[in-house]
Amino acid sequence: LSNQFAGTFDGLGFTISNLYINRPSQNYVGLFGYTNSSAEIKNIGLKDVNITGKNYVGGLVGYNHTGTISNSYATGNVSGQSYTGGLVGYNHTGTISNSYATGTVNGDYSVGGLVGYNSGTISNSYASGNVSGTANNVGELVGYNAGTISNSYATGTVNGSWYVGGLIGYNSYGRISN
């Protein structure tokens, strides 16, 4: 992918309100569509987002490829097909800390209130709201987990077909503590 975000974005505690993205046939959708290992996103709040994409869809980041996200949040509605999350669609060996997502997340599979698919590290974070998936791997915090999650929690409602959980939809050798 040629348009990867590789810098540092420090929101300085400010918020962005009413972000609207409607790209139902496009992958890598969010405020940042794709971030790489040099990316650091911190101290930003997204209020009342309305984001629609295809795969790898998140309120803040669609696909976090080994980047770092901290002290950030997203509220509102996020919709996609696969790898859809309220904050991050796919956290590929990246790090998410001190962050949260609230609102409504809809997708097909690997759908989570915070992260759709996690193979990285999530700590001191939470999700609340309504999460729905038409297929499998649907969780209030994370839809599919193959990474590490610590000191995190979830509240809200979850609906899906199979591998559905109040915290994690499907845990594949991932580690969860506290």
Side-chain angles (χ1 to χ4, degrees):
L1 205 62
S2 62
N3 294 327
Q4 300 176 13
F5 180 75
T8 297
F9 181 88
D10 187 345
L12 302 173
F14 287 98
T15 59
I16 297 171
S17 298
N18 303 311
L19 176 64
Y20 175 76
I21 302 172
N22 186 22
R23 297 182 177 168
S25 62
Q26 185 174 337
N27 296 328
Y28 310 109
V29 177
L31 178 62
F32 297 92
Y34 194 112
T35 59
N36 70 20
S37 61
S38 300
E40 181 182 7
I41 300 169
K42 58 187 177 180
N43 307 318
I44 187 67
L46 302 178
K47 293 175 73 175
D48 299 320
V49 301
N50 187 354
I51 297 175
T52 302
K54 187 174 181 182
N55 302 312
Y56 312 107
V57 183
L60 183 61
V61 178
Y63 191 100
N64 182 35
H65 190 272
T66 66
T68 301
I69 297 168
S70 62
N71 304 317
S72 298
Y73 69 88
T75 70
N77 301 309
V78 179
S79 298
Q81 289 180 7
S82 61
Y83 313 115
T84 303
L87 189 71
V88 175
Y90 194 118
N91 185 38
H92 183 260
T93 65
T95 301
I96 298 171
S97 63
N98 304 314
S99 297
Y100 69 89
T102 65
T104 302
V105 182
N106 294 299
D108 291 335
Y109 66 92
S110 294
V111 181
L114 186 72
V115 176
Y117 188 109
N118 177 53
S119 64
T121 301
I122 297 171
S123 63
N124 305 317
S125 298
Y126 72 91
S128 65
N130 300 313
V131 179
S132 295
T134 60
N136 58 323
N137 307 334
V138 183
E140 180 62 40
L141 186 70
V142 174
Y144 186 105
N145 181 52
T148 302
I149 299 172
S150 64
N151 304 315
S152 298
Y153 69 93
T155 63
T157 61
V158 183
N159 293 297
S161 294
W162 63 96
Y163 302 123
V164 179
L167 186 68
I168 308 295
Y170 185 82
N171 188 50
S172 177
Y173 303 104
R175 294 184 315 226
I176 301 168
S177 63
N178 301 322

CSV table of all heavy atoms in Angstrom, one decimal, residues 15-71:
chain,number,residue,atom,x,y,z
A,15,THR,N,-10.3,17.1,20.2
A,15,THR,CA,-11.2,16.1,19.6
A,15,THR,C,-11.5,16.6,18.2
A,15,THR,O,-11.5,17.7,17.8
A,15,THR,CB,-12.5,16.0,20.4
A,15,THR,OG1,-13.1,17.3,20.5
A,15,THR,CG2,-12.2,15.5,21.8
A,16,ILE,N,-11.9,15.6,17.4
A,16,ILE,CA,-12.4,15.8,16.0
A,16,ILE,C,-13.9,15.2,16.1
A,16,ILE,O,-14.1,14.1,16.5
A,16,ILE,CB,-11.6,15.0,15.0
A,16,ILE,CG1,-10.2,15.5,14.9
A,16,ILE,CG2,-12.3,15.1,13.6
A,16,ILE,CD1,-9.3,14.7,14.0
A,17,SER,N,-14.8,16.1,15.7
A,17,SER,CA,-16.2,15.7,15.8
A,17,SER,C,-16.9,15.5,14.5
A,17,SER,O,-16.5,16.1,13.5
A,17,SER,CB,-17.0,16.8,16.6
A,17,SER,OG,-16.5,16.9,17.9
A,18,ASN,N,-17.8,14.5,14.5
A,18,ASN,CA,-18.7,14.3,13.3
A,18,ASN,C,-17.9,13.9,12.0
A,18,ASN,O,-18.3,14.3,10.9
A,18,ASN,CB,-19.6,15.5,13.0
A,18,ASN,CG,-20.4,15.8,14.2
A,18,ASN,OD1,-21.0,15.0,14.8
A,18,ASN,ND2,-20.4,17.1,14.6
A,19,LEU,N,-16.8,13.1,12.2
A,19,LEU,CA,-16.1,12.6,11.0
A,19,LEU,C,-17.0,11.6,10.3
A,19,LEU,O,-17.5,10.7,10.8
A,19,LEU,CB,-14.8,11.9,11.5
A,19,LEU,CG,-14.0,11.2,10.4
A,19,LEU,CD1,-13.5,12.2,9.4
A,19,LEU,CD2,-12.9,10.4,11.0
A,20,TYR,N,-17.2,11.9,9.0
A,20,TYR,CA,-18.1,11.1,8.1
A,20,TYR,C,-17.3,10.6,7.0
A,20,TYR,O,-16.6,11.3,6.2
A,20,TYR,CB,-19.2,11.9,7.6
A,20,TYR,CG,-20.1,11.2,6.6
A,20,TYR,CD1,-21.0,10.3,7.1
A,20,TYR,CD2,-20.1,11.5,5.3
A,20,TYR,CE1,-21.9,9.6,6.2
A,20,TYR,CE2,-20.9,10.8,4.4
A,20,TYR,CZ,-21.8,9.9,4.8
A,20,TYR,OH,-22.6,9.2,3.9
A,21,ILE,N,-17.2,9.2,6.8
A,21,ILE,CA,-16.5,8.6,5.7
A,21,ILE,C,-17.5,7.5,5.2
A,21,ILE,O,-17.9,6.6,5.9
A,21,ILE,CB,-15.2,7.9,6.1
A,21,ILE,CG1,-14.3,8.9,6.7
A,21,ILE,CG2,-14.6,7.2,4.9
A,21,ILE,CD1,-13.0,8.4,7.3
A,22,ASN,N,-17.9,7.5,3.9
A,22,ASN,CA,-18.8,6.6,3.3
A,22,ASN,C,-18.1,6.0,2.1
A,22,ASN,O,-18.2,6.5,1.0
A,22,ASN,CB,-20.1,7.2,3.0
A,22,ASN,CG,-21.1,6.2,2.5
A,22,ASN,OD1,-21.0,5.0,2.8
A,22,ASN,ND2,-22.1,6.7,1.7
A,23,ARG,N,-17.4,4.9,2.3
A,23,ARG,CA,-16.6,4.2,1.2
A,23,ARG,C,-16.9,2.7,1.3
A,23,ARG,O,-16.0,1.9,1.6
A,23,ARG,CB,-15.2,4.5,1.3
A,23,ARG,CG,-14.9,6.0,1.1
A,23,ARG,CD,-13.4,6.2,1.1
A,23,ARG,NE,-13.2,7.6,0.8
A,23,ARG,CZ,-12.0,8.2,1.0
A,23,ARG,NH1,-11.0,7.6,1.5
A,23,ARG,NH2,-11.9,9.5,0.7
A,24,PRO,N,-18.1,2.2,1.1
A,24,PRO,CA,-18.5,0.8,1.3
A,24,PRO,C,-17.8,-0.2,0.4
A,24,PRO,O,-17.8,-1.4,0.8
A,24,PRO,CB,-20.0,0.8,1.1
A,24,PRO,CG,-20.3,2.0,0.2
A,24,PRO,CD,-19.3,3.0,0.6
A,25,SER,N,-17.1,0.2,-0.6
A,25,SER,CA,-16.4,-0.7,-1.5
A,25,SER,C,-14.9,-0.6,-1.3
A,25,SER,O,-14.1,-1.2,-2.1
A,25,SER,CB,-16.8,-0.5,-3.0
A,25,SER,OG,-16.4,0.8,-3.4
A,26,GLN,N,-14.4,0.2,-0.4
A,26,GLN,CA,-13.0,0.4,-0.2
A,26,GLN,C,-12.5,-0.2,1.1
A,26,GLN,O,-13.1,-0.2,2.1
A,26,GLN,CB,-12.7,1.9,-0.2
A,26,GLN,CG,-11.2,2.2,-0.1
A,26,GLN,CD,-11.0,3.7,-0.3
A,26,GLN,OE1,-11.8,4.5,-0.8
A,26,GLN,NE2,-9.8,4.2,0.2
A,27,ASN,N,-11.2,-0.8,1.0
A,27,ASN,CA,-10.6,-1.3,2.2
A,27,ASN,C,-9.7,-0.3,2.8
A,27,ASN,O,-9.4,0.8,2.2
A,27,ASN,CB,-9.6,-2.5,1.8
A,27,ASN,CG,-10.4,-3.7,1.2
A,27,ASN,OD1,-11.6,-3.9,1.6
A,27,ASN,ND2,-9.8,-4.4,0.3
A,28,TYR,N,-9.3,-0.5,4.1
A,28,TYR,CA,-8.4,0.4,4.8
A,28,TYR,C,-9.1,1.8,5.0
A,28,TYR,O,-8.7,2.8,4.5
A,28,TYR,CB,-7.0,0.6,4.2
A,28,TYR,CG,-6.4,-0.7,3.8
A,28,TYR,CD1,-6.3,-1.2,2.5
A,28,TYR,CD2,-5.9,-1.6,4.8
A,28,TYR,CE1,-5.7,-2.4,2.2
A,28,TYR,CE2,-5.3,-2.8,4.5
A,28,TYR,CZ,-5.2,-3.2,3.2
A,28,TYR,OH,-4.6,-4.4,2.9
A,29,VAL,N,-10.1,1.8,5.8
A,29,VAL,CA,-10.9,3.0,6.0
A,29,VAL,C,-10.9,3.4,7.5
A,29,VAL,O,-11.1,2.5,8.4
A,29,VAL,CB,-12.4,2.8,5.5
A,29,VAL,CG1,-13.2,4.0,5.8
A,29,VAL,CG2,-12.4,2.5,4.0
A,30,GLY,N,-10.6,4.6,7.8
A,30,GLY,CA,-10.7,5.2,9.1
A,30,GLY,C,-10.1,6.6,9.0
A,30,GLY,O,-9.7,7.0,7.9
A,31,LEU,N,-9.9,7.3,10.1
A,31,LEU,CA,-9.2,8.6,10.0
A,31,LEU,C,-7.8,8.4,9.4
A,31,LEU,O,-7.4,9.1,8.5
A,31,LEU,CB,-9.1,9.2,11.4
A,31,LEU,CG,-8.3,10.5,11.5
A,31,LEU,CD1,-9.0,11.6,10.7
A,31,LEU,CD2,-8.1,11.0,12.9
A,32,PHE,N,-7.2,7.3,9.8
A,32,PHE,CA,-5.9,6.8,9.2
A,32,PHE,C,-6.3,5.4,8.6
A,32,PHE,O,-6.6,4.5,9.3
A,32,PHE,CB,-4.8,6.6,10.2
A,32,PHE,CG,-4.4,7.9,10.9
A,32,PHE,CD1,-5.0,8.4,12.0
A,32,PHE,CD2,-3.4,8.7,10.3
A,32,PHE,CE1,-4.6,9.6,12.6
A,32,PHE,CE2,-3.1,10.0,10.8
A,32,PHE,CZ,-3.7,10.4,12.0
A,33,GLY,N,-6.2,5.3,7.3
A,33,GLY,CA,-6.5,4.0,6.7
A,33,GLY,C,-5.5,2.9,7.0
A,33,GLY,O,-5.9,1.8,7.3
A,34,TYR,N,-4.2,3.2,6.9
A,34,TYR,CA,-3.2,2.2,7.1
A,34,TYR,C,-2.0,2.9,7.7
A,34,TYR,O,-1.5,3.9,7.3
A,34,TYR,CB,-2.8,1.7,5.7
A,34,TYR,CG,-1.9,0.4,5.7
A,34,TYR,CD1,-2.5,-0.8,5.2
A,34,TYR,CD2,-0.6,0.4,6.2
A,34,TYR,CE1,-1.7,-2.0,5.2
A,34,TYR,CE2,0.1,-0.8,6.2
A,34,TYR,CZ,-0.4,-1.9,5.7
A,34,TYR,OH,0.3,-3.1,5.7
A,35,THR,N,-1.5,2.4,8.8
A,35,THR,CA,-0.4,2.9,9.5
A,35,THR,C,0.7,1.8,9.5
A,35,THR,O,0.4,0.6,9.6
A,35,THR,CB,-0.7,3.3,11.0
A,35,THR,OG1,-1.2,2.2,11.7
A,35,THR,CG2,-1.7,4.4,11.0
A,36,ASN,N,2.0,2.2,9.5
A,36,ASN,CA,3.1,1.3,9.5
A,36,ASN,C,3.9,1.4,10.8
A,36,ASN,O,3.5,2.1,11.7
A,36,ASN,CB,4.0,1.4,8.3
A,36,ASN,CG,4.8,2.6,8.2
A,36,ASN,OD1,5.0,3.3,9.3
A,36,ASN,ND2,5.3,3.0,7.1
A,37,SER,N,5.0,0.7,10.9
A,37,SER,CA,5.8,0.5,12.1
A,37,SER,C,6.3,1.9,12.6
A,37,SER,O,6.6,2.0,13.8
A,37,SER,CB,6.9,-0.4,11.9
A,37,SER,OG,7.8,0.0,10.9
A,38,SER,N,6.4,2.9,11.8
A,38,SER,CA,6.9,4.2,12.3
A,38,SER,C,5.8,5.1,12.8
A,38,SER,O,6.0,6.1,13.3
A,38,SER,CB,7.6,4.9,11.1
A,38,SER,OG,8.7,4.2,10.6
A,39,ALA,N,4.5,4.6,12.7
A,39,ALA,CA,3.4,5.4,13.1
A,39,ALA,C,3.2,5.4,14.6
A,39,ALA,O,3.3,4.4,15.3
A,39,ALA,CB,2.1,4.9,12.4
A,40,GLU,N,3.0,6.7,15.1
A,40,GLU,CA,2.6,6.8,16.5
A,40,GLU,C,1.4,7.8,16.5
A,40,GLU,O,1.6,9.0,16.1
A,40,GLU,CB,3.8,7.4,17.3
A,40,GLU,CG,3.4,7.6,18.8
A,40,GLU,CD,4.6,8.1,19.6
A,40,GLU,OE1,5.6,8.5,19.0
A,40,GLU,OE2,4.4,8.2,20.8
A,41,ILE,N,0.3,7.3,17.1
A,41,ILE,CA,-0.9,8.2,17.2
A,41,ILE,C,-1.3,8.2,18.7
A,41,ILE,O,-1.4,7.2,19.3
A,41,ILE,CB,-2.1,7.6,16.4
A,41,ILE,CG1,-1.7,7.5,14.9
A,41,ILE,CG2,-3.3,8.4,16.5
A,41,ILE,CD1,-2.6,6.7,14.0
A,42,LYS,N,-1.4,9.5,19.1
A,42,LYS,CA,-1.7,9.6,20.6
A,42,LYS,C,-2.5,10.9,20.9
A,42,LYS,O,-2.5,11.8,20.1
A,42,LYS,CB,-0.4,9.7,21.3
A,42,LYS,CG,0.6,10.8,20.9
A,42,LYS,CD,1.9,10.6,21.6
A,42,LYS,CE,2.9,11.7,21.1
A,42,LYS,NZ,4.2,11.6,21.8
A,43,ASN,N,-3.2,10.8,22.0
A,43,ASN,CA,-3.9,12.0,22.6
A,43,ASN,C,-4.9,12.6,21.7
A,43,ASN,O,-5.0,13.8,21.6
A,43,ASN,CB,-2.8,13.1,23.0
A,43,ASN,CG,-1.8,12.5,23.9
A,43,ASN,OD1,-2.0,11.8,24.8
A,43,ASN,ND2,-0.5,12.9,23.6
A,44,ILE,N,-5.7,11.8,21.0
A,44,ILE,CA,-6.7,12.3,20.1
A,44,ILE,C,-8.1,11.6,20.4
A,44,ILE,O,-8.1,10.4,20.7
A,44,ILE,CB,-6.4,12.1,18.6
A,44,ILE,CG1,-7.4,12.7,17.7
A,44,ILE,CG2,-6.2,10.6,18.3
A,44,ILE,CD1,-7.4,14.3,17.8
A,45,GLY,N,-9.1,12.4,20.3
A,45,GLY,CA,-10.5,11.9,20.5
A,45,GLY,C,-11.3,12.1,19.3
A,45,GLY,O,-11.3,13.2,18.7
A,46,LEU,N,-12.1,11.1,18.9
A,46,LEU,CA,-13.0,11.2,17.8
A,46,LEU,C,-14.4,11.1,18.3
A,46,LEU,O,-14.7,10.0,18.9
A,46,LEU,CB,-12.7,10.1,16.7
A,46,LEU,CG,-11.3,10.1,16.1
A,46,LEU,CD1,-11.2,8.9,15.1
A,46,LEU,CD2,-11.0,11.4,15.4
A,47,LYS,N,-15.2,12.1,18.2
A,47,LYS,CA,-16.6,12.1,18.7
A,47,LYS,C,-17.6,12.0,17.6
A,47,LYS,O,-17.5,12.7,16.6
A,47,LYS,CB,-16.8,13.4,19.5
A,47,LYS,CG,-16.0,13.4,20.8
A,47,LYS,CD,-16.1,14.7,21.5
A,47,LYS,CE,-17.5,14.8,22.2
A,47,LYS,NZ,-17.7,16.0,23.0
A,48,ASP,N,-18.5,11.1,17.8
A,48,ASP,CA,-19.7,10.9,16.9
A,48,ASP,C,-19.2,10.6,15.4
A,48,ASP,O,-19.8,11.2,14.5
A,48,ASP,CB,-20.6,12.1,16.9
A,48,ASP,CG,-21.2,12.3,18.3
A,48,ASP,OD1,-21.5,11.3,19.0
A,48,ASP,OD2,-21.2,13.5,18.8
A,49,VAL,N,-18.3,9.7,15.2
A,49,VAL,CA,-17.9,9.3,13.9
A,49,VAL,C,-19.1,8.5,13.2
A,49,VAL,O,-19.9,7.9,13.9
A,49,VAL,CB,-16.6,8.4,13.9
A,49,VAL,CG1,-15.5,9.1,14.5
A,49,VAL,CG2,-16.9,7.1,14.5
A,50,ASN,N,-19.1,8.6,11.9
A,50,ASN,CA,-20.0,7.8,11.1
A,50,ASN,C,-19.2,7.2,9.9
A,50,ASN,O,-19.0,8.0,8.9
A,50,ASN,CB,-21.2,8.6,10.6
A,50,ASN,CG,-22.2,7.8,9.9
A,50,ASN,OD1,-22.0,6.6,9.7
A,50,ASN,ND2,-23.4,8.4,9.6
A,51,ILE,N,-18.6,6.0,10.1
A,51,ILE,CA,-17.6,5.5,9.1
A,51,ILE,C,-18.1,4.2,8.5
A,51,ILE,O,-18.5,3.3,9.3
A,51,ILE,CB,-16.3,5.3,9.8
A,51,ILE,CG1,-15.8,6.7,10.2
A,51,ILE,CG2,-15.3,4.7,8.9
A,51,ILE,CD1,-14.5,6.7,11.0
A,52,THR,N,-18.1,4.1,7.2
A,52,THR,CA,-18.5,2.9,6.5
A,52,THR,C,-17.4,2.5,5.5
A,52,THR,O,-16.9,3.4,4.7
A,52,THR,CB,-19.8,3.0,5.7
A,52,THR,OG1,-20.8,3.4,6.7
A,52,THR,CG2,-20.2,1.7,5.0
A,53,GLY,N,-16.9,1.3,5.5
A,53,GLY,CA,-15.9,0.8,4.6
A,53,GLY,C,-16.2,-0.7,4.3
A,53,GLY,O,-17.2,-1.2,4.7
A,54,LYS,N,-15.2,-1.3,3.6
A,54,LYS,CA,-15.4,-2.7,3.3
A,54,LYS,C,-14.7,-3.6,4.3
A,54,LYS,O,-15.3,-4.2,5.1
A,54,LYS,CB,-14.9,-3.0,1.8
A,54,LYS,CG,-15.2,-4.4,1.3
A,54,LYS,CD,-14.8,-4.6,-0.1
A,54,LYS,CE,-15.2,-6.0,-0.6
A,54,LYS,NZ,-14.8,-6.2,-2.0
A,55,ASN,N,-13.4,-3.8,4.1
A,55,ASN,CA,-12.5,-4.6,5.0
A,55,ASN,C,-11.5,-3.7,5.7
A,55,ASN,O,-11.0,-2.7,5.1
A,55,ASN,CB,-11.8,-5.7,4.3
A,55,ASN,CG,-12.8,-6.6,3.6
A,55,ASN,OD1,-13.8,-7.0,4.2
A,55,ASN,ND2,-12.6,-6.9,2.3
A,56,TYR,N,-11.1,-4.0,6.9
A,56,TYR,CA,-10.1,-3.2,7.6
A,56,TYR,C,-10.6,-1.8,7.9
A,56,TYR,O,-10.1,-0.8,7.3
A,56,TYR,CB,-8.7,-3.1,6.9
A,56,TYR,CG,-8.2,-4.5,6.5
A,56,TYR,CD1,-8.2,-4.8,5.1
A,56,TYR,CD2,-7.7,-5.4,7.4
A,56,TYR,CE1,-7.8,-6.1,4.7
A,56,TYR,CE2,-7.3,-6.6,7.0
A,56,TYR,CZ,-7.3,-7.0,5.6
A,56,TYR,OH,-6.9,-8.2,5.2
A,57,VAL,N,-11.7,-1.7,8.7
A,57,VAL,CA,-12.4,-0.5,9.0
A,57,VAL,C,-12.3,-0.2,10.5
A,57,VAL,O,-12.7,-1.1,11.3
A,57,VAL,CB,-13.8,-0.6,8.5
A,57,VAL,CG1,-14.6,0.7,8.7
A,57,VAL,CG2,-13.9,-1.0,7.0
A,58,GLY,N,-11.9,1.0,10.8
A,58,GLY,CA,-11.9,1.4,12.2
A,58,GLY,C,-12.2,2.9,12.4
A,58,GLY,O,-12.0,3.7,11.4
A,59,GLY,N,-12.7,3.3,13.5
A,59,GLY,CA,-12.9,4.7,13.8
A,59,GLY,C,-11.7,5.5,13.6
A,59,GLY,O,-11.6,6.6,13.0
A,60,LEU,N,-10.6,5.1,14.3
A,60,LEU,CA,-9.3,5.8,14.2
A,60,LEU,C,-8.4,5.3,13.1
A,60,LEU,O,-7.9,6.0,12.3
A,60,LEU,CB,-8.6,5.7,15.6
A,60,LEU,CG,-7.3,6.5,15.7
A,60,LEU,CD1,-7.5,8.0,15.5
A,60,LEU,CD2,-6.7,6.2,17.1
A,61,VAL,N,-8.2,3.9,13.1
A,61,VAL,CA,-7.3,3.3,12.1
A,61,VAL,C,-7.9,2.1,11.5
A,61,VAL,O,-8.4,1.2,12.3
A,61,VAL,CB,-5.9,2.9,12.8
A,61,VAL,CG1,-5.0,2.2,11.8
A,61,VAL,CG2,-5.3,4.1,13.4
A,62,GLY,N,-7.9,2.0,10.2
A,62,GLY,CA,-8.3,0.8,9.6
A,62,GLY,C,-7.4,-0.4,9.8
A,62,GLY,O,-7.8,-1.5,10.2
A,63,TYR,N,-6.1,-0.3,9.5
A,63,TYR,CA,-5.1,-1.3,9.6
A,63,TYR,C,-3.9,-0.7,10.3
A,63,TYR,O,-3.2,0.1,9.7
A,63,TYR,CB,-4.8,-1.9,8.2
A,63,TYR,CG,-4.0,-3.1,8.2
A,63,TYR,CD1,-4.6,-4.4,8.0
A,63,TYR,CD2,-2.6,-3.1,8.4
A,63,TYR,CE1,-3.8,-5.5,7.9
A,63,TYR,CE2,-1.8,-4.3,8.4
A,63,TYR,CZ,-2.5,-5.5,8.2
A,63,TYR,OH,-1.7,-6.7,8.1
A,64,ASN,N,-3.6,-1.2,11.5
A,64,ASN,CA,-2.5,-0.7,12.3
A,64,ASN,C,-1.4,-1.8,12.1
A,64,ASN,O,-1.4,-2.8,12.8
A,64,ASN,CB,-2.9,-0.5,13.7
A,64,ASN,CG,-1.7,0.0,14.5
A,64,ASN,OD1,-0.9,0.8,14.1
A,64,ASN,ND2,-1.6,-0.4,15.8
A,65,HIS,N,-0.4,-1.5,11.3
A,65,HIS,CA,0.7,-2.5,11.0
A,65,HIS,C,1.9,-2.1,11.9
A,65,HIS,O,2.7,-1.3,11.5
A,65,HIS,CB,1.0,-2.5,9.5
A,65,HIS,CG,2.0,-3.6,9.2
A,65,HIS,ND1,3.3,-3.5,9.3
A,65,HIS,CD2,1.7,-4.9,8.8
A,65,HIS,CE1,3.9,-4.6,8.9
A,65,HIS,NE2,2.9,-5.5,8.6
A,66,THR,N,1.9,-2.7,13.1
A,66,THR,CA,3.0,-2.5,14.0
A,66,THR,C,3.2,-1.1,14.6
A,66,THR,O,4.2,-0.8,15.1
A,66,THR,CB,4.3,-3.1,13.5
A,66,THR,OG1,4.8,-2.3,12.4
A,66,THR,CG2,4.2,-4.5,13.1
A,67,GLY,N,2.2,-0.2,14.4
A,67,GLY,CA,2.2,1.1,14.9
A,67,GLY,C,1.8,1.2,16.4
A,67,GLY,O,1.4,0.2,17.0
A,68,THR,N,1.9,2.4,17.0
A,68,THR,CA,1.5,2.6,18.4
A,68,THR,C,0.4,3.6,18.5
A,68,THR,O,0.4,4.7,17.9
A,68,THR,CB,2.8,3.1,19.1
A,68,THR,OG1,3.8,2.2,19.0
A,68,THR,CG2,2.4,3.3,20.6
A,69,ILE,N,-0.6,3.2,19.3
A,69,ILE,CA,-1.8,4.1,19.5
A,69,ILE,C,-1.9,4.2,21.0
A,69,ILE,O,-1.9,3.2,21.7
A,69,ILE,CB,-3.1,3.5,18.9
A,69,ILE,CG1,-2.9,3.4,17.4
A,69,ILE,CG2,-4.3,4.3,19.3
A,69,ILE,CD1,-4.0,2.6,16.7
A,70,SER,N,-2.0,5.4,21.5
A,70,SER,CA,-2.2,5.6,23.0
A,70,SER,C,-3.0,6.8,23.3
A,70,SER,O,-3.1,7.7,22.5
A,70,SER,CB,-0.8,5.7,23.7
A,70,SER,OG,-0.1,6.9,23.2
A,71,ASN,N,-3.7,6.7,24.5
A,71,ASN,CA,-4.5,7.8,25.0
A,71,ASN,C,-5.5,8.4,23.9
A,71,ASN,O,-5.6,9.6,23.8
A,71,ASN,CB,-3.6,8.9,25.5
A,71,ASN,CG,-2.6,8.4,26.5
A,71,ASN,OD1,-3.0,7.7,27.4
A,71,ASN,ND2,-1.4,8.8,26.4
